[in-house]
Amino acid sequence: MKEITRISPDELARQQIYIDQIAEENAEYFARTGRRRLAYTHTYGCQQNVSDGERIDGMLAQMGYGRAESVEEADFILYNTCAVREGAEDRVYGNAGALKHLKNRNKELILAIAGCMVQQKSVADKLYKSFPYIDLVMGTHVLHRFPELLFRVMKEKQRVYELPESEGVVAEGLPVLRSDSIHAWLPIMNGCDNFCSYCIVPHVRGRERSRRPGDILREASDIVAAGYKEITLLGQNVNSYGKNLEGAPGFPDLLRSICGLEGDFRVRFMTSHPKDATPELFKAMAESPKAARHLHLPVQAGSDQILKAMNRKYTAEAYLEKIHQVRELMPDIALTSDIIVGFPGETEEDFEKTLELVKTVGFDSLFMFIYSKRKGTPAERMDDPIPAEEKSRWFSRLVALQDEIMEAKHRAAVGRTVRVLVDGTDPKTGRLTGKDSGVLRVRIEEAPESLMGQFAQVKLTSASRHWVDGVLV
Ligand code: 5AD
Ligand code: SF4
Protein backbone atom coordinates (compact mmCIF):
# COMPACT_ATOMS: atom_id res chain seq x y z
CA MET A 1 0.00 0.00 0.00
CA LYS A 2 1.41 3.36 -1.04
CA GLU A 3 1.96 5.86 1.76
CA ILE A 4 0.00 9.09 1.53
CA THR A 5 1.90 12.23 2.49
CA ARG A 6 -0.03 13.82 5.32
CA ILE A 7 0.96 17.30 6.44
CA SER A 8 2.11 17.08 10.04
CA PRO A 9 0.65 19.17 12.86
CA ASP A 10 4.16 20.65 13.27
CA GLU A 11 4.10 21.95 9.73
CA LEU A 12 0.65 23.45 10.26
CA ALA A 13 1.86 25.05 13.49
CA ARG A 14 4.74 26.55 11.49
CA GLN A 15 2.24 28.01 9.02
CA GLN A 16 0.20 29.39 11.93
CA ILE A 17 3.19 31.49 12.91
CA TYR A 18 3.11 33.15 9.48
CA ILE A 19 -0.64 33.68 9.79
CA ASP A 20 -0.09 35.41 13.13
CA GLN A 21 2.74 37.55 11.76
CA ILE A 22 0.64 38.70 8.81
CA ALA A 23 -2.27 39.37 11.17
CA GLU A 24 0.04 41.55 13.27
CA GLU A 25 1.24 43.43 10.22
CA ASN A 26 -2.38 43.95 9.09
CA ALA A 27 -3.37 45.16 12.58
CA GLU A 28 -0.51 47.69 12.49
CA TYR A 29 -1.74 48.87 9.10
CA PHE A 30 -5.20 49.36 10.59
CA ALA A 31 -3.82 51.28 13.57
CA ARG A 32 -1.81 53.50 11.22
CA THR A 33 -4.47 54.20 8.58
CA GLY A 34 -7.83 53.50 10.21
CA ARG A 35 -8.60 51.23 7.28
CA ARG A 36 -8.76 47.45 7.33
CA ARG A 37 -6.92 45.60 4.56
CA LEU A 38 -9.26 43.75 2.21
CA ALA A 39 -8.82 40.58 0.17
CA TYR A 40 -10.63 39.70 -3.04
CA THR A 41 -10.66 36.05 -4.07
CA HIS A 42 -12.38 34.40 -6.99
CA THR A 43 -12.58 30.69 -7.71
CA TYR A 44 -13.18 29.13 -11.12
CA GLY A 45 -14.07 25.54 -11.93
CA CYS A 46 -15.44 22.65 -9.97
CA GLN A 47 -16.66 22.32 -6.37
CA GLN A 48 -13.35 20.77 -5.38
CA ASN A 49 -11.74 24.03 -6.33
CA VAL A 50 -14.45 26.01 -4.55
CA SER A 51 -13.61 24.00 -1.46
CA ASP A 52 -9.90 24.86 -1.82
CA GLY A 53 -10.93 28.50 -2.21
CA GLU A 54 -12.86 28.31 1.08
CA ARG A 55 -9.68 27.17 2.80
CA ILE A 56 -7.72 30.04 1.28
CA ASP A 57 -10.46 32.41 2.49
CA GLY A 58 -10.26 30.81 5.93
CA MET A 59 -6.54 31.52 6.13
CA LEU A 60 -7.04 35.09 4.88
CA ALA A 61 -9.68 35.70 7.55
CA GLN A 62 -7.25 34.52 10.24
CA MET A 63 -4.66 36.89 8.78
CA GLY A 64 -7.06 39.73 9.53
CA TYR A 65 -8.15 40.52 5.99
CA GLY A 66 -11.70 41.72 5.43
CA ARG A 67 -13.54 40.67 2.27
CA ALA A 68 -13.37 43.01 -0.72
CA GLU A 69 -16.47 43.15 -2.90
CA SER A 70 -14.47 44.20 -5.97
CA VAL A 71 -10.87 44.12 -7.17
CA GLU A 72 -10.75 47.94 -7.07
CA GLU A 73 -10.96 48.10 -3.28
CA ALA A 74 -8.68 45.12 -2.59
CA ASP A 75 -5.19 45.04 -1.07
CA PHE A 76 -4.81 41.40 -2.00
CA ILE A 77 -6.30 39.69 -5.05
CA LEU A 78 -6.24 35.95 -5.70
CA TYR A 79 -7.63 33.96 -8.62
CA ASN A 80 -8.06 30.27 -7.85
CA THR A 81 -8.00 28.84 -11.34
CA CYS A 82 -9.32 25.84 -13.30
CA ALA A 83 -7.59 24.05 -16.16
CA VAL A 84 -10.26 21.64 -17.31
CA ARG A 85 -11.08 23.54 -20.51
CA GLU A 86 -9.39 26.28 -22.48
CA GLY A 87 -12.23 28.74 -21.91
CA ALA A 88 -11.63 28.78 -18.15
CA GLU A 89 -7.95 29.56 -18.73
CA ASP A 90 -8.63 32.34 -21.24
CA ARG A 91 -10.83 34.14 -18.72
CA VAL A 92 -8.00 34.09 -16.18
CA TYR A 93 -5.51 35.53 -18.70
CA GLY A 94 -8.03 38.26 -19.46
CA ASN A 95 -8.64 39.06 -15.79
CA ALA A 96 -4.94 38.92 -14.91
CA GLY A 97 -4.20 41.36 -17.76
CA ALA A 98 -6.81 43.75 -16.44
CA LEU A 99 -5.09 43.85 -13.04
CA LYS A 100 -2.02 45.62 -14.42
CA HIS A 101 -3.52 49.10 -14.13
CA LEU A 102 -4.51 48.42 -10.50
CA LYS A 103 -0.94 47.48 -9.70
CA ASN A 104 0.32 50.63 -11.44
CA ARG A 105 -2.00 52.68 -9.25
CA ASN A 106 -1.14 50.88 -6.03
CA LYS A 107 2.35 49.39 -5.71
CA GLU A 108 1.41 47.75 -2.39
CA LEU A 109 -1.28 45.63 -4.01
CA ILE A 110 -0.45 41.90 -3.95
CA LEU A 111 -1.62 39.74 -6.84
CA ALA A 112 -1.77 35.95 -6.63
CA ILE A 113 -2.83 33.08 -8.86
CA ALA A 114 -3.47 29.61 -7.48
CA GLY A 115 -5.15 26.40 -8.56
CA CYS A 116 -5.09 23.84 -11.33
CA MET A 117 -4.17 26.11 -14.21
CA VAL A 118 -0.81 27.17 -12.80
CA GLN A 119 0.11 23.60 -11.91
CA GLN A 120 0.86 23.17 -15.64
CA LYS A 121 4.45 24.16 -16.27
CA SER A 122 3.77 25.84 -19.62
CA VAL A 123 1.14 28.07 -18.03
CA ALA A 124 3.33 29.00 -15.07
CA ASP A 125 6.15 29.90 -17.48
CA LYS A 126 3.83 32.05 -19.55
CA LEU A 127 2.57 33.87 -16.44
CA TYR A 128 6.12 34.46 -15.25
CA LYS A 129 7.19 35.98 -18.56
CA SER A 130 4.06 37.83 -19.65
CA PHE A 131 2.66 38.99 -16.29
CA PRO A 132 5.64 40.34 -14.32
CA TYR A 133 3.33 42.18 -11.91
CA ILE A 134 1.83 38.93 -10.54
CA ASP A 135 3.52 38.44 -7.16
CA LEU A 136 2.52 34.96 -6.08
CA VAL A 137 1.85 31.84 -8.10
CA MET A 138 0.95 28.81 -6.04
CA GLY A 139 0.24 25.29 -7.30
CA THR A 140 -2.37 22.86 -6.03
CA HIS A 141 0.02 20.92 -3.79
CA VAL A 142 1.11 23.81 -1.56
CA LEU A 143 -2.23 25.24 -0.48
CA HIS A 144 -1.35 24.61 3.17
CA ARG A 145 1.81 26.72 2.73
CA PHE A 146 -0.10 29.78 1.52
CA PRO A 147 0.64 31.77 4.73
CA GLU A 148 4.38 31.23 4.37
CA LEU A 149 4.37 32.11 0.67
CA LEU A 150 2.32 35.27 1.18
CA PHE A 151 4.60 36.28 4.05
CA ARG A 152 7.60 35.94 1.75
CA VAL A 153 5.99 38.20 -0.85
CA MET A 154 5.24 40.79 1.84
CA LYS A 155 8.67 40.71 3.46
CA GLU A 156 11.05 39.99 0.64
CA LYS A 157 9.14 42.10 -1.87
CA GLN A 158 9.87 39.66 -4.64
CA ARG A 159 7.89 37.29 -6.79
CA VAL A 160 7.24 33.87 -5.32
CA TYR A 161 6.47 30.99 -7.69
CA GLU A 162 5.90 27.77 -5.78
CA LEU A 163 4.86 24.92 -8.04
CA PRO A 164 6.43 21.70 -6.84
CA GLU A 165 5.75 18.53 -8.77
CA SER A 166 4.12 16.18 -6.32
CA GLU A 167 1.91 13.15 -6.05
CA GLY A 168 -0.18 15.32 -3.74
CA VAL A 169 -0.63 15.63 0.01
CA VAL A 170 -3.46 15.55 2.54
CA ALA A 171 -3.59 18.57 4.86
CA GLU A 172 -6.00 18.47 7.81
CA GLY A 173 -6.92 21.31 10.11
CA LEU A 174 -6.80 24.25 7.69
CA PRO A 175 -9.31 26.95 8.62
CA VAL A 176 -12.38 27.14 6.36
CA LEU A 177 -14.47 30.18 5.56
CA ARG A 178 -17.50 28.65 3.84
CA SER A 179 -18.96 30.62 0.98
CA ASP A 180 -22.55 29.67 1.74
CA SER A 181 -24.60 29.21 4.91
CA ILE A 182 -27.01 26.53 3.63
CA HIS A 183 -24.87 24.17 1.51
CA ALA A 184 -21.44 22.99 2.62
CA TRP A 185 -18.75 21.32 0.50
CA LEU A 186 -16.90 18.50 2.18
CA PRO A 187 -13.90 17.05 0.34
CA ILE A 188 -13.39 13.39 1.21
CA MET A 189 -10.49 12.82 -1.16
CA ASN A 190 -8.35 14.57 -3.68
CA GLY A 191 -6.59 13.76 -6.92
CA CYS A 192 -7.46 11.24 -9.59
CA ASP A 193 -5.94 8.01 -10.92
CA ASN A 194 -8.24 7.40 -13.85
CA PHE A 195 -6.37 9.19 -16.62
CA CYS A 196 -9.25 9.67 -19.03
CA SER A 197 -7.44 10.58 -22.20
CA TYR A 198 -8.92 14.10 -22.51
CA CYS A 199 -8.53 15.15 -18.88
CA ILE A 200 -5.97 17.39 -17.24
CA VAL A 201 -7.09 16.68 -13.67
CA PRO A 202 -4.76 13.74 -12.88
CA HIS A 203 -1.89 15.88 -14.16
CA VAL A 204 -2.62 18.88 -11.94
CA ARG A 205 -4.20 17.39 -8.82
CA GLY A 206 -1.94 14.42 -8.26
CA ARG A 207 -2.73 10.86 -7.27
CA GLU A 208 -5.92 9.77 -5.61
CA ARG A 209 -5.73 10.11 -1.82
CA SER A 210 -8.43 9.80 0.80
CA ARG A 211 -8.91 11.72 4.00
CA ARG A 212 -9.27 9.62 7.13
CA PRO A 213 -12.88 8.70 7.96
CA GLY A 214 -12.54 10.21 11.47
CA ASP A 215 -11.44 13.56 10.02
CA ILE A 216 -14.31 13.54 7.54
CA LEU A 217 -16.92 12.65 10.17
CA ARG A 218 -15.61 15.34 12.49
CA GLU A 219 -15.92 17.95 9.75
CA ALA A 220 -19.40 16.65 8.83
CA SER A 221 -20.53 16.95 12.49
CA ASP A 222 -19.19 20.49 12.66
CA ILE A 223 -21.06 21.37 9.47
CA VAL A 224 -24.34 19.97 10.81
CA ALA A 225 -23.81 21.66 14.19
CA ALA A 226 -23.29 24.96 12.38
CA GLY A 227 -26.79 24.61 10.93
CA TYR A 228 -26.05 23.62 7.34
CA LYS A 229 -28.88 21.75 5.66
CA GLU A 230 -26.98 20.14 2.83
CA ILE A 231 -23.54 18.56 2.63
CA THR A 232 -21.97 17.64 -0.68
CA LEU A 233 -19.17 15.10 -0.41
CA LEU A 234 -16.49 15.84 -2.98
CA GLY A 235 -13.94 13.77 -4.82
CA GLN A 236 -12.94 13.28 -8.45
CA ASN A 237 -14.16 9.70 -8.08
CA VAL A 238 -15.84 9.21 -4.72
CA ASN A 239 -16.47 5.53 -5.44
CA SER A 240 -12.84 4.73 -4.99
CA TYR A 241 -12.77 6.36 -1.55
CA GLY A 242 -10.67 4.42 0.93
CA LYS A 243 -8.35 2.77 -1.57
CA ASN A 244 -4.78 3.21 -0.36
CA LEU A 245 -6.02 3.87 3.16
CA GLU A 246 -5.69 0.95 5.51
CA GLY A 247 -8.78 0.15 7.58
CA ALA A 248 -10.90 2.76 5.81
CA PRO A 249 -14.49 1.93 4.91
CA GLY A 250 -15.55 1.97 1.28
CA PHE A 251 -17.63 4.86 0.02
CA PRO A 252 -21.03 3.20 0.62
CA ASP A 253 -20.20 2.75 4.32
CA LEU A 254 -18.79 6.26 4.62
CA LEU A 255 -22.01 7.58 3.12
CA ARG A 256 -24.01 5.54 5.61
CA SER A 257 -22.01 6.93 8.55
CA ILE A 258 -22.44 10.52 7.46
CA CYS A 259 -26.16 10.02 6.85
CA GLY A 260 -26.29 8.46 10.32
CA LEU A 261 -25.35 11.72 12.06
CA GLU A 262 -28.13 13.36 14.09
CA GLY A 263 -29.95 16.28 12.52
CA ASP A 264 -32.15 17.37 9.65
CA PHE A 265 -29.91 17.63 6.61
CA ARG A 266 -29.34 16.14 3.18
CA VAL A 267 -26.21 14.52 1.76
CA ARG A 268 -25.15 14.70 -1.87
CA PHE A 269 -21.93 13.54 -3.43
CA MET A 270 -19.97 13.95 -6.62
CA THR A 271 -18.44 12.69 -8.80
CA SER A 272 -19.02 9.00 -9.41
CA HIS A 273 -17.18 7.19 -12.18
CA PRO A 274 -19.58 4.72 -13.79
CA LYS A 275 -16.97 1.97 -13.80
CA ASP A 276 -16.82 2.08 -9.99
CA ALA A 277 -20.47 2.81 -9.15
CA THR A 278 -21.70 -0.42 -7.58
CA PRO A 279 -25.03 -1.89 -6.45
CA GLU A 280 -23.67 -1.52 -2.86
CA LEU A 281 -23.56 2.24 -3.39
CA PHE A 282 -27.10 2.32 -4.77
CA LYS A 283 -28.24 0.23 -1.82
CA ALA A 284 -26.57 2.55 0.69
CA MET A 285 -28.34 5.50 -0.95
CA ALA A 286 -31.70 3.76 -1.01
CA GLU A 287 -31.40 2.82 2.68
CA SER A 288 -30.38 6.30 3.84
CA PRO A 289 -33.30 8.74 3.93
CA LYS A 290 -30.80 11.61 4.26
CA ALA A 291 -29.04 10.71 1.02
CA ALA A 292 -30.37 12.98 -1.70
CA ARG A 293 -32.23 11.21 -4.48
CA HIS A 294 -29.66 12.33 -7.00
CA LEU A 295 -26.84 10.56 -8.77
CA HIS A 296 -24.37 12.40 -10.99
CA LEU A 297 -22.91 9.77 -13.27
CA PRO A 298 -20.89 11.28 -16.13
CA VAL A 299 -21.19 9.17 -19.26
CA GLN A 300 -19.15 11.48 -21.57
CA ALA A 301 -20.19 9.72 -24.80
CA GLY A 302 -22.60 7.16 -26.20
CA SER A 303 -20.30 5.42 -28.67
CA ASP A 304 -18.21 2.49 -27.46
CA GLN A 305 -15.41 3.42 -29.81
CA ILE A 306 -15.20 6.92 -28.37
CA LEU A 307 -15.54 5.64 -24.80
CA LYS A 308 -12.59 3.37 -25.50
CA ALA A 309 -10.52 6.20 -26.95
CA MET A 310 -11.43 8.25 -23.87
CA ASN A 311 -10.14 5.41 -21.66
CA ARG A 312 -13.41 5.30 -19.75
CA LYS A 313 -13.39 1.52 -19.21
CA TYR A 314 -17.12 0.88 -19.75
CA THR A 315 -19.45 0.49 -22.71
CA ALA A 316 -22.70 2.31 -23.35
CA GLU A 317 -24.51 -0.92 -22.56
CA ALA A 318 -22.75 -1.30 -19.21
CA TYR A 319 -23.64 2.30 -18.41
CA LEU A 320 -27.30 1.72 -19.21
CA GLU A 321 -27.24 -1.37 -17.02
CA LYS A 322 -26.08 0.78 -14.05
CA ILE A 323 -28.88 3.24 -14.73
CA HIS A 324 -31.31 0.34 -14.76
CA GLN A 325 -30.00 -0.94 -11.40
CA VAL A 326 -30.27 2.50 -9.77
CA ARG A 327 -33.77 3.10 -11.01
CA GLU A 328 -34.92 -0.30 -9.87
CA LEU A 329 -33.90 0.56 -6.30
CA MET A 330 -34.94 4.23 -6.43
CA PRO A 331 -37.51 4.86 -9.15
CA ASP A 332 -37.72 8.56 -8.25
CA ILE A 333 -33.98 9.23 -8.48
CA ALA A 334 -32.73 12.26 -10.41
CA LEU A 335 -29.93 11.37 -12.81
CA THR A 336 -27.45 13.86 -14.19
CA SER A 337 -24.42 13.49 -16.38
CA ASP A 338 -21.53 15.17 -18.24
CA ILE A 339 -21.06 14.86 -21.98
CA ILE A 340 -18.19 15.86 -24.22
CA VAL A 341 -19.08 16.64 -27.82
CA GLY A 342 -16.46 16.43 -30.58
CA PHE A 343 -13.80 14.22 -29.00
CA PRO A 344 -10.92 13.62 -31.48
CA GLY A 345 -12.03 11.08 -34.06
CA GLU A 346 -15.71 11.31 -33.19
CA THR A 347 -17.89 10.89 -36.27
CA GLU A 348 -21.44 11.99 -36.82
CA GLU A 349 -22.43 8.36 -36.35
CA ASP A 350 -20.69 8.28 -32.95
CA PHE A 351 -22.40 11.51 -32.00
CA GLU A 352 -25.81 10.08 -32.94
CA LYS A 353 -25.13 7.33 -30.41
CA THR A 354 -24.67 9.97 -27.72
CA LEU A 355 -28.03 11.50 -28.68
CA GLU A 356 -29.56 8.03 -28.57
CA LEU A 357 -28.20 7.34 -25.09
CA VAL A 358 -29.36 10.73 -23.80
CA LYS A 359 -32.83 9.99 -25.16
CA THR A 360 -32.86 6.50 -23.64
CA VAL A 361 -31.85 7.65 -20.14
CA GLY A 362 -33.73 10.95 -20.03
CA PHE A 363 -31.37 12.83 -17.70
CA ASP A 364 -32.84 15.31 -15.25
CA SER A 365 -30.02 17.69 -16.06
CA LEU A 366 -26.96 17.54 -18.27
CA PHE A 367 -23.63 19.34 -18.34
CA MET A 368 -22.50 19.54 -21.95
CA PHE A 369 -19.06 20.55 -23.18
CA ILE A 370 -17.32 20.84 -26.52
CA TYR A 371 -14.01 18.96 -26.39
CA SER A 372 -11.10 21.20 -25.45
CA LYS A 373 -7.56 20.07 -26.20
CA ARG A 374 -5.38 19.94 -23.06
CA LYS A 375 -1.58 19.95 -23.17
CA GLY A 376 0.09 16.78 -22.00
CA THR A 377 -3.00 14.56 -22.23
CA PRO A 378 -3.06 11.54 -24.59
CA ALA A 379 -5.96 13.02 -26.60
CA GLU A 380 -3.78 16.00 -27.51
CA ARG A 381 -1.99 13.80 -30.01
CA MET A 382 -5.08 12.19 -31.53
CA ASP A 383 -6.31 13.11 -35.01
CA ASP A 384 -9.11 15.64 -34.77
CA PRO A 385 -10.41 16.28 -38.27
CA ILE A 386 -13.92 17.56 -37.50
CA PRO A 387 -14.11 21.37 -37.92
CA ALA A 388 -15.19 23.49 -34.96
CA GLU A 389 -18.38 24.65 -36.73
CA GLU A 390 -19.50 21.07 -37.15
CA LYS A 391 -18.89 20.35 -33.47
CA SER A 392 -20.91 23.46 -32.59
CA ARG A 393 -23.80 22.17 -34.69
CA TRP A 394 -23.68 18.81 -32.88
CA PHE A 395 -23.53 20.62 -29.57
CA SER A 396 -26.65 22.66 -30.41
CA ARG A 397 -28.52 19.49 -31.35
CA LEU A 398 -27.65 17.94 -28.00
CA VAL A 399 -28.69 21.09 -26.11
CA ALA A 400 -32.00 21.18 -27.98
CA LEU A 401 -32.67 17.53 -27.19
CA GLN A 402 -31.89 18.01 -23.51
CA ASP A 403 -34.13 21.12 -23.38
CA GLU A 404 -37.00 19.03 -24.68
CA ILE A 405 -36.33 16.30 -22.11
CA MET A 406 -36.13 18.83 -19.26
CA GLU A 407 -39.37 20.47 -20.27
CA ALA A 408 -41.14 17.11 -20.35
CA LYS A 409 -39.66 16.21 -16.93
CA HIS A 410 -40.78 19.52 -15.47
CA ARG A 411 -44.31 19.12 -16.82
CA ALA A 412 -44.50 15.56 -15.51
CA ALA A 413 -43.58 16.80 -12.04
CA VAL A 414 -46.65 19.06 -11.78
CA GLY A 415 -49.08 17.76 -9.16
CA ARG A 416 -46.34 16.16 -7.07
CA THR A 417 -45.48 17.35 -3.55
CA VAL A 418 -41.73 17.63 -2.89
CA ARG A 419 -39.52 18.58 0.01
CA VAL A 420 -37.60 21.69 -1.03
CA LEU A 421 -34.56 23.21 0.61
CA VAL A 422 -35.16 26.95 0.23
CA ASP A 423 -31.89 28.60 -0.74
CA GLY A 424 -32.46 31.53 -3.10
CA THR A 425 -34.63 34.21 -4.61
CA ASP A 426 -35.66 34.46 -8.24
CA PRO A 427 -34.55 37.92 -9.37
CA LYS A 428 -37.40 38.20 -11.89
CA THR A 429 -40.37 37.36 -9.69
CA GLY A 430 -38.87 37.93 -6.24
CA ARG A 431 -40.13 34.48 -5.22
CA LEU A 432 -38.13 32.23 -2.93
CA THR A 433 -36.55 29.30 -4.73
CA GLY A 434 -35.13 25.97 -3.74
CA LYS A 435 -34.23 22.48 -4.82
CA ASP A 436 -35.92 19.18 -4.15
CA SER A 437 -34.00 16.06 -3.14
CA GLY A 438 -33.14 15.60 -6.81
CA VAL A 439 -32.22 18.52 -9.06
CA LEU A 440 -35.61 20.14 -9.58
CA ARG A 441 -35.44 23.92 -9.12
CA VAL A 442 -38.69 25.20 -7.69
CA ARG A 443 -40.11 28.72 -7.33
CA ILE A 444 -42.46 29.00 -4.38
CA GLU A 445 -45.44 31.32 -4.43
CA GLU A 446 -45.97 33.55 -1.40
CA ALA A 447 -43.39 31.93 0.82
CA PRO A 448 -42.28 33.97 3.85
CA GLU A 449 -38.63 35.11 3.95
CA SER A 450 -38.24 33.14 7.21
CA LEU A 451 -38.21 29.93 5.14
CA MET A 452 -34.79 30.79 3.71
CA GLY A 453 -32.40 28.00 4.65
CA GLN A 454 -35.25 25.70 5.74
CA PHE A 455 -36.97 22.68 4.26
CA ALA A 456 -40.53 23.17 3.02
CA GLN A 457 -43.20 20.88 1.55
CA VAL A 458 -44.19 22.31 -1.81
CA LYS A 459 -46.93 21.21 -4.18
CA LEU A 460 -45.89 21.72 -7.79
CA THR A 461 -48.50 23.63 -9.76
CA SER A 462 -47.03 24.60 -13.13
CA ALA A 463 -43.86 24.18 -15.16
CA SER A 464 -41.84 25.57 -18.03
CA ARG A 465 -38.53 24.59 -19.63
CA HIS A 466 -36.43 26.27 -16.94
CA TRP A 467 -38.68 26.41 -13.91
CA VAL A 468 -41.22 24.57 -11.85
CA ASP A 469 -43.61 26.64 -9.72
CA GLY A 470 -45.32 25.50 -6.58
CA VAL A 471 -47.21 26.48 -3.44
CA LEU A 472 -46.53 25.67 0.20
CA VAL A 473 -48.61 22.87 1.68
N1 5AD B 1 -12.72 19.06 -22.86
C1 5AD B 1 -14.04 19.19 -22.63
N2 5AD B 1 -14.63 18.81 -21.50
C2 5AD B 1 -13.87 18.24 -20.55
N3 5AD B 1 -14.18 17.74 -19.34
C3 5AD B 1 -13.03 17.30 -18.77
N4 5AD B 1 -11.99 17.48 -19.59
C4 5AD B 1 -12.49 18.06 -20.72
C5 5AD B 1 -11.91 18.49 -21.94
N5 5AD B 1 -10.61 18.35 -22.19
C6 5AD B 1 -15.53 17.68 -18.82
C7 5AD B 1 -15.94 16.25 -18.55
C8 5AD B 1 -15.91 16.18 -17.05
C9 5AD B 1 -16.31 17.57 -16.68
C10 5AD B 1 -15.97 17.96 -15.30
O1 5AD B 1 -15.60 18.36 -17.60
O2 5AD B 1 -17.25 16.05 -19.04
O3 5AD B 1 -16.78 15.20 -16.53
FE1 SF4 C 1 -11.72 21.17 -10.75
FE2 SF4 C 1 -10.53 19.86 -12.66
FE3 SF4 C 1 -11.01 22.41 -12.96
FE4 SF4 C 1 -9.15 21.57 -11.26
S1 SF4 C 1 -9.12 21.30 -13.47
S2 SF4 C 1 -10.72 23.14 -10.89
S3 SF4 C 1 -10.04 19.69 -10.51
S4 SF4 C 1 -12.53 20.83 -12.83
Side-chain angles (χ1 to χ4, degrees):
M1 197 171 281
K2 215 170 148 292
E3 263 303 305
I4 297 169
T5 309
R6 287 176 196 277
I7 302 305
S8 68
D10 284 354
E11 170 61 19
L12 285 181
R14 199 172 73 81
Q15 294 301 324
Q16 192 62 46
I17 296 172
Y18 291 111
I19 291 183
D20 296 344
Q21 278 176 313
I22 296 173
E24 221 169 89
E25 153 97 26
N26 282 341
E28 263 166 38
Y29 176 85
F30 180 70
R32 199 167 64 236
T33 63
R35 182 186 162 275
R36 191 174 177 203
R37 279 199 175 128
L38 302 177
Y40 178 92
T41 59
H42 184 80
T43 291
Y44 300 82
C46 66
Q47 281 79 12
Q48 194 89 36
N49 220 32
V50 171
S51 174
D52 282 356
E54 292 181 338
R55 281 160 218 261
I56 292 173
D57 288 344
M59 291 186 260
L60 284 166
Q62 286 197 347
M63 292 169 191
Y65 284 98
R67 283 188 77 91
E69 291 305 318
S70 69
V71 287
E72 279 78 21
E73 60 174 17
D75 301 274
F76 173 78
I77 299 171
L78 179 139
Y79 290 124
N80 186 28
T81 61
C82 171
V84 84
R85 280 171 296 275
E86 203 176 353
E89 294 198 347
D90 287 344
R91 257 176 294 150
V92 172
Y93 284 128
N95 285 341
L99 293 179
K100 188 175 180 182
H101 76 281
L102 290 177
K103 185 82 175 193
N104 286 341
R105 218 169 59 192
N106 172 11
K107 295 280 178 248
E108 300 275 287
L109 175 65
I110 297 176
L111 304 177
I113 303 197
C116 296
M117 181 176 161
V118 296
Q119 192 62 44
Q120 306 164 93
K121 195 170 177 311
S122 57
V123 172
D125 288 348
K126 175 166 171 182
L127 283 172
Y128 198 84
K129 281 200 204 88
S130 314
F131 298 82
Y133 49 91
I134 306 256
D135 304 287
L136 171 59
V137 171
M138 171 173 84
T140 50
H141 303 303
V142 286
L143 193 75
H144 60 284
R145 286 180 50 215
F146 170 53
E148 173 192 351
L149 302 177
L150 179 55
F151 186 80
R152 265 173 53 198
V153 172
M154 288 173 119
K155 285 293 147 199
E156 297 166 14
K157 307 255 181 259
Q158 59 174 355
R159 301 164 83 189
V160 173
Y161 275 56
E162 196 73 10
L163 304 150
E165 294 221 2
S166 163
E167 304 261 281
V169 301
V170 174
E172 294 296 345
L174 297 180
V176 188
L177 186 67
R178 297 192 192 278
S179 50
D180 186 297
S181 55
I182 302 168
H183 310 269
W185 309 115
L186 174 49
I188 62 168
M189 58 201 300
N190 209 325
C192 183
D193 285 352
N194 286 317
F195 291 96
C196 302
S197 60
Y198 51 80
C199 190
I200 194 76
V201 172
H203 307 270
V204 292
R205 282 201 171 260
R207 300 287 56 75
E208 202 169 87
R209 52 213 186 270
S210 302
R211 293 178 69 190
R212 292 196 191 98
D215 292 325
I216 296 169
L217 277 164
R218 210 166 305 124
E219 192 172 341
S221 303
D222 290 347
I223 289 170
V224 174
Y228 286 88
K229 292 286 184 281
E230 192 170 279
I231 304 179
T232 304
L233 310 178
L234 299 175
Q236 300 302 341
N237 179 16
V238 293
N239 299 313
S240 57
Y241 174 79
K243 268 200 234 158
N244 302 326
L245 184 57
E246 207 164 346
F251 182 67
D253 283 335
L254 182 74
L255 181 65
R256 280 195 171 92
S257 314
I258 294 171
C259 290
L261 293 171
E262 283 285 324
D264 190 14
F265 62 95
R266 218 150 56 184
V267 183
R268 297 180 189 269
F269 57 87
M270 64 193 309
T271 292
S272 292
H273 194 304
K275 79 177 163 56
D276 301 314
T278 57
E280 288 72 52
L281 169 68
F282 309 150
K283 229 172 126 235
M285 289 175 78
E287 287 167 8
S288 307
K290 284 182 193 152
R293 288 293 173 263
H294 171 210
L295 183 65
H296 182 61
L297 204 60
V299 65
Q300 311 298 0
S303 147
D304 289 344
Q305 220 164 314
I306 295 303
L307 286 169
K308 189 155 199 294
M310 287 177 163
N311 192 30
R312 291 291 288 178
K313 303 194 173 90
Y314 54 82
T315 60
E317 193 188 331
Y319 182 88
L320 291 172
E321 174 55 27
K322 302 258 169 172
I323 297 290
H324 176 72
Q325 289 169 355
V326 184
R327 280 189 167 148
E328 226 168 22
L329 275 174
M330 293 168 281
D332 58 341
I333 193 152
L335 293 166
T336 59
S337 200
D338 294 345
I339 287 194
I340 297 177
V341 172
F343 184 79
E346 187 170 38
T347 62
E348 178 139 15
E349 203 186 336
D350 291 316
F351 172 67
E352 303 272 355
K353 288 182 181 154
T354 296
L355 290 179
E356 206 45 53
L357 183 138
V358 167
K359 237 183 265 173
T360 305
V361 177
F363 291 106
D364 294 84
S365 180
L366 201 54
F367 300 90
M368 297 163 270
F369 311 100
I370 292 184
Y371 169 73
S372 170
K373 191 198 278 195
R374 306 283 64 207
K375 250 203 195 94
T377 60
E380 186 197 1
R381 295 181 301 276
M382 294 179 190
D383 260 355
D384 192 3
I386 301 289
E389 304 78 57
E390 180 74 358
K391 292 186 182 185
S392 287
R393 274 194 292 275
W394 293 355
F395 185 76
S396 303
R397 284 172 67 192
L398 179 61
V399 171
L401 170 63
Q402 183 57 25
D403 272 354
E404 258 173 53
I405 294 172
M406 296 266 285
E407 187 163 357
K409 292 246 169 202
H410 285 179
R411 296 210 188 282
V414 172
R416 240 185 266 154
T417 296
V418 293
R419 191 162 189 250
V420 169
L421 175 55
V422 181
D423 63 358
T425 312
D426 176 37
K428 253 207 209 132
T429 57
R431 286 185 197 158
L432 288 187
T433 61
K435 209 175 190 189
D436 77 344
S437 176
V439 294
L440 212 54
R441 288 228 58 98
V442 180
R443 281 190 306 213
I444 316 164
E445 254 172 75
E446 290 176 29
E449 198 56 40
S450 59
L451 272 184
M452 184 61 93
Q454 305 296 319
F455 289 105
Q457 290 292 123
V458 177
K459 186 171 164 90
L460 306 177
T461 49
S462 65
S464 70
R465 180 164 289 184
H466 300 292
W467 279 105
V468 183
D469 287 283
V471 291
L472 292 172
V473 291

